[in-house]
Every structure is written in structure tokens, then in C-alpha cells.
Amino acid sequence: MNHSSSDQSLYLESDGEDERKNLSEEEDDGAFSDYSDVHNQNQHHSKPNSYSTAWPKSYRQSIDLYGSLPSPSPGFLGNSSLSRFESSFSSLTRRHTPESLPAVRKPLLVDEEAAKRKRSSHSLLPSKASSRVSHEMGISNDSSFGQAVLNGVNVLCGVGILSTPYAVKEGGWLGLLILFAFGVLCFYTGLLLRYCLDSHPDLQTYPDIGHAAFGTTGRILVSVILYLELYAMSVEYIILESDNLSSLFPNAALSIGGFHLDAPHLFALLTTIAVLPTVWLRDLSILSYISAGGVIASVLVVLCLFWVGLIDEVGIHSKGTPLNLATLPVSVGLYGYCYSGHGVFPNIYTSMAKPSQFPAVLVTCFGICTLMYAGVAVMGYSMFGESTESQFTLNLPQDLVASKIALWTTVVSPFTKYALTLSPVAMSLEELLPSNHGKSRFYAIAIRSALAFSTLLVGLAIPFFGLVMSLIGSFLTMLITLILPPACFLSILRTKVTPTQVALCVVIITVGAVCSAMGTYSALSKIIEKLNT
């Protein structure tokens, strides 16, 4: 989209007219010609700038806190209003550059000239505003390659790593091929999201992509699915805490007014009460900074498992089963859950100082996480065999030091992540309040409290960690990672895709749909079966 000099003056400040003229000429030389074609094709979906005003407007801000490692800047305790300013300003610091322009067939790595031109356009930004933005919030708009990798690993390598040995038990050794296949497919669909973002300068988040592809309906559908996944993850945290604390204190119980709470119910309730004050927080910058230790926590738990298996007395003594066809669909959902990071990938991409490095970031993230998942899966199932629990921490001998470290690390970590996971859902609901109530602290606390206690009720109703994870992975994650990205890609860039890309996208959508149907049916059937016993 070509901007006139007057339009540019809204976001570019310069001491001389020459800089404006040079920038305008640079754009007119054809840098924006590809984008103009795509923009004209997509005008029927949405009006210009409608992405930033449609629900959910809070997605960028909330997911930045949920999925990114804050920069250790002096102002990382910035208030929410300045955070929103940064969110809206970030599009200007990245979008109007040749490097981010759409070109389905362009190389993934751009040349040095493009990088120089990007830096040149950045230099025209108002220095005071730029400085203010970069220090008011923990999320940097110029994250390095290393920061982007840590962000990606922090999102991908979550509690799913605890259930990979259980996934091998359900699917057999050959089921591990599904893990690697999903890793490759999800990497590719992550790249498709990048192409979708580059098709329009206003696209910054996954809901924006859904909006560009399928209009307002697509935006709402994508948003609802993403928020349902976050809500379900919050339920998993409650079940996780209940299971692990019950294993540490199996005799804990409480009787009040004729009501008796056994260990699982008691610890689920106590966990909800403990995290409730963090859910009420408006500014989650501190929690976001602390939760960055999720990568360290995951690595520590993995090291403890290997220590127990290779050095302590447990050892490796199970040959396992080659293939379990009857329960293979359950493992499909568990493996799918392992790669539930696509909701954050657009935010990581738009925050990078060098967006051309995004493919390398994805390769690194998926490579690290897949190796960790596979290593834990092989070690855990080799150690515990058919007695493998839905979380391998429940199988570890509790008298060993390494086991205690793994258990307590698993217990402590969700306390920092619960509020960050649930807050995007709460913020989206707060947007739906009438304007006279939208800024009321009472209504915000009421919504967040209701969400927290609802996760408690759901967790108590279906306290099956592995099966709930399989259901999430099959129904929600498959939609987010395998079905929607290629569908949006084909819709947004349909006139520029090659026949090979079309065929590959159709194959991925088909694989995702089949796996989703099989996994969802199997997980629901087993949940109903357990509830009836």
C-alpha cells in the first residue's frame, strides 16, 4: 500500500523533507507493489485498520505477556495503558519495511540490502516515542534471535513433556513417528502463518490472520478456539497440582460442616485459592518475568528423569510394546498437544528485530523441543513400561533427591503460569462489557474469579490429566496448528500459491482433520468410560 507524504507524517518525524521524499520514492519503486495486489484481493474481507479495532483487541498485549520473555529493562513494570500504546506502535516499527512485504515465492532469508533498508526506515521513527515504547513494557519489539528461540521453547515445551512417556505407552514405540511427523508439519504451518502476516501491514496476531482470511467470522472462530485452548490449559494446571501434591501428601484430608475433602479435591481447592490473587492482577509483567524460568524448569525436570533412570536405582528394564492400535488415537492427541504454540508464533515474529530469521528460529525451537519430547518419552517408557502414569513425575520414587526436585519443580511452575494463561481469556471477556462497566475493577475481579473457580469445577469433574490433554490436543490444537494455518494461507494468498503448495496444504488439512476426529472421539469415549466406572 502506497502512502502519501501526508500519511507518512502521522508516524514519521524528520527534520528535513528529503527523508520523507526518499522514503516515498523507495516505496514507489515497487517495494509495495506485491502487497497492493494482495490488499486489493482482500478488501472484501475487512476494511483497512479494522484488525486493531475488532474483538479481541487485547489479544496482542495479553499473548505477549503469556508467551514472551520480558527484556530486563528498567521499566519492565510499565502500566497497562503504555503497554497498549506499545502494542499499537509495534506495527509501525516493523511493518513499513521491504523485508516484511508479502511474496510467497521470495526466499526465506533476505539479503543485506533489505536489512539495511529496514534499519534506515527504523531510524526515521521519533526517537522519544521509540525510547518510551521500548522501556515501558517487558516485551521488546526488537527481540534478538536468542530471545525469540527462548520465547518459542518456553511456549512449546510446557506440561506436555510430562505425558510423552504415557503417549508411548498408549501408542507403542512406533507411535513416536507421529511425534516427529507432527513436528515437521507444525514447523511448516508456522511458516505459513508468517506468509499470512506479510500479506498485509496491519496483521499482527493469529486472530488478525483469521480476519483477513474469512472476515469477522474467521476472526471470532480463531479467537474462540485459541481462548478455549488457554482455558483448557488452565484446567490442566489444576489437575496437575492436584495429582502431584496428592502423591506427595496422600493422607491429607479436610472435613468441614459434613463435607469431606480427600487429598485430590483438597489440593485442587487450595491451588485455586492460592493462584486467585495472581489472577486479579492487572499488570502481569512480574509474573511474565518469573515464568520465563519455565524453560529452566522443563530442562531441570528432564535431567531429574535421566538421573533417576541412569544413575539412581530405577534403571531401564522395560522393552515395551511396538504398537497399540486400540489406544493409538489417544497418543495422537498427546503428541499434538506438544506443539501448541501457533497462537504465539505471530507475536514472536512481529517482535523480532530481524524477521528474516524467523524460519531459523522455528527450526531451532522445534528441533530442541522434539529432541526433549522424544528423549523423555523413550527414557520414561523404558523405565516404567506399562505402569507409566499420565505424568511421569507420579512414577518417580519419592525417596530419591532427584525425584523430589522434579516433583516440586512441577508443582511450583504452574503457580506463575496459571494467571498468564487465564488472563487472555479474562481480558477478552472484559472487552464485551458495556463501556460504563468495562473499566470497573469489581467486574474485572468478578470475571477472573468466576473463570478461576470454573477451572476448578471442570478439573474436579474430569480429573484425568492424560485424557484431558489428549482431548485438547486432538480437538483444539489440531485446529490451531494443522487445519487453520493452511486454510488461511490458501484463502489470503490464493492467487499466488503454486500447485505444489496447494496440494501440500490440502494434505496437511486432511491429516489434521482425520487425526482430530479420531483423537477427539477416542479421548471423549475414554473420559465417559472412566466417569461411568
Side-chain angles (χ1 to χ4, degrees):
M1 180 172 60
N2 292 321
H3 297 277
S4 64
S5 298
S6 60
D7 291 334
Q8 293 170 7
S9 66
L10 294 176
Y11 58 87
L12 297 178
E13 292 182 1
S14 173
D15 293 331
E17 291 296 327
D18 291 339
E19 288 181 316
R20 284 195 183 95
K21 181 178 179 182
N22 292 336
L23 179 61
S24 179
E25 291 175 352
E26 181 179 353
E27 292 176 353
D28 291 337
D29 285 340
F32 276 53
S33 59
D34 288 340
Y35 158 68
S36 299
D37 295 338
V38 179
H39 173 62
N40 292 334
Q41 295 162 9
N42 291 324
Q43 278 186 332
H44 68 283
H45 289 308
S46 60
K47 297 179 181 179
N49 300 323
S50 62
Y51 306 114
S52 60
T53 59
W55 181 88
K57 293 181 287 186
S58 62
Y59 186 85
R60 174 64 192 258
Q61 177 192 355
S62 60
I63 296 299
D64 273 349
L65 287 171
Y66 164 72
S68 301
L69 304 181
S71 301
S73 59
F76 79 99
L77 296 178
N79 59 38
S80 59
S81 62
L82 292 175
S83 298
R84 287 192 294 270
F85 172 72
E86 178 198 24
S87 177
S88 62
F89 194 83
S90 62
S91 63
L92 304 182
T93 61
R94 188 188 78 84
R95 286 300 171 180
H96 299 279
T97 63
E99 184 176 350
S100 64
L101 297 178
V104 177
R105 299 174 185 174
K106 75 176 183 179
L108 293 179
L109 298 178
V110 299
D111 55 19
E112 282 298 319
E113 184 62 23
K116 290 179 181 178
R117 292 164 70 186
K118 178 189 175 187
R119 287 193 294 270
S120 175
S121 65
H122 274 259
S123 67
L124 298 178
L125 290 170
S127 58
K128 291 183 180 180
S130 178
S131 174
R132 182 186 184 189
V133 169
S134 63
H135 291 288
E136 289 299 344
M137 187 175 173
I139 309 304
S140 172
N141 284 323
D142 294 303
S143 61
S144 64
F145 177 87
Q147 285 177 310
V149 169
L150 286 176
N151 290 335
V153 173
N154 191 41
V155 171
L156 285 175
C157 197
V159 296
I161 200 169
L162 300 176
S163 294
T164 51
Y166 180 72
V168 180
K169 171 196 170 184
E170 294 294 296
W173 287 116
L174 292 177
L176 271 174
L177 296 175
I178 298 174
L179 175 68
F180 294 104
F182 280 169
V184 174
L185 296 180
C186 290
F187 161 75
Y188 181 74
T189 56
L191 293 181
L192 295 184
L193 291 180
R194 179 217 185 188
Y195 287 130
C196 292
L197 290 170
D198 287 343
S199 69
H200 194 293
D202 292 328
L203 300 183
Q204 295 187 36
T205 65
Y206 205 149
D208 293 347
I209 294 173
H211 194 162
F214 305 110
T216 304
T217 302
R219 182 182 187 87
I220 294 175
L221 176 64
V222 169
S223 301
V224 169
I225 294 172
L226 289 167
Y227 286 135
L228 282 175
E229 186 185 43
L230 290 173
Y231 179 85
M233 288 179 179
S234 301
V235 173
E236 282 286 78
Y237 285 140
I238 299 295
I239 302 175
L240 174 78
E241 294 295 305
S242 175
D243 290 345
N244 284 277
L245 287 172
S246 297
S247 69
L248 288 169
F249 308 101
N251 297 323
L254 180 65
S255 296
I256 301 179
F259 292 97
H260 178 76
L261 298 176
D262 58 9
H265 290 78
L266 174 61
F267 286 119
L269 176 61
L270 293 178
T271 297
T272 305
I273 295 174
V275 299
L276 195 57
T278 66
V279 176
W280 294 338
L281 293 174
R282 283 282 192 179
D283 185 359
L284 297 175
S285 299
I286 297 178
L287 281 182
S288 180
Y289 198 81
I290 296 174
S291 71
V295 177
I296 299 175
S298 297
V299 172
L300 182 59
V301 171
V302 171
L303 291 177
C304 288
L305 174 67
F306 277 79
W307 183 280
V308 171
L310 300 177
I311 297 177
D312 286 332
E313 59 196 45
V314 175
I316 299 174
H317 49 74
S318 175
K319 294 182 179 180
T321 304
L323 185 65
N324 289 327
L325 288 176
T327 53
L328 182 63
V330 174
S331 68
V332 169
L334 294 172
Y335 290 135
Y337 184 92
C338 293
Y339 297 111
S340 57
H342 285 56
V344 186
F345 286 162
N347 297 56
I348 294 177
Y349 175 53
T350 55
S351 70
M352 292 182 64
K354 298 180 179 179
S356 61
Q357 295 180 335
F358 184 69
V361 168
L362 283 187
V363 169
T364 306
C365 292
F366 277 94
I368 292 173
C369 293
T370 300
L371 288 177
M372 290 180 64
Y373 285 136
V376 169
V378 171
M379 178 59 68
Y381 187 50
S382 299
M383 290 167 59
F384 309 118
E386 296 305 312
S387 63
T388 302
E389 298 282 351
S390 60
Q391 306 157 63
F392 70 76
T393 51
L394 303 178
N395 289 105
L396 297 175
Q398 296 187 11
D399 57 327
L400 301 176
V401 175
S403 299
K404 295 181 183 296
I405 295 175
L407 273 168
W408 281 109
T409 301
T410 303
V411 166
V412 171
S413 182
F415 281 95
T416 62
K417 292 187 174 183
Y418 181 88
L420 291 170
T421 305
L422 195 61
S423 286
V425 184
M427 293 175 69
S428 70
L429 294 177
E430 290 167 18
E431 286 185 49
L432 302 177
L433 291 174
S435 57
N436 57 325
H437 298 319
K439 296 183 180 180
S440 171
R441 188 67 177 148
F442 170 78
Y443 288 101
I445 291 178
I447 289 174
R448 291 161 187 257
S449 300
L451 284 173
F453 281 106
S454 69
T455 61
L456 169 65
L457 295 178
V458 175
L460 292 177
I462 45 175
F464 316 118
F465 184 85
L467 294 178
V468 172
M469 180 176 290
S470 179
L471 180 60
I472 298 171
S474 299
F475 180 57
L476 299 174
T477 306
M478 292 292 178
L479 283 169
I480 295 170
T481 60
L482 295 182
I483 298 176
L484 288 175
C488 292
F489 174 75
L490 293 177
S491 176
I492 294 175
L493 297 167
R494 55 187 175 277
T495 62
K496 292 182 176 292
V497 297
T498 64
T500 302
Q501 290 173 323
V502 173
L504 187 55
C505 287
V506 171
V507 169
I508 294 175
I509 292 173
T510 303
V511 170
V514 172
C515 291
S516 178
M518 291 174 53
T520 301
Y521 175 80
S522 180
L524 283 175
S525 299
K526 289 189 172 296
I527 288 174
I528 295 173
E529 179 183 338
K530 284 204 169 190
L531 290 175
N532 292 331
T533 57

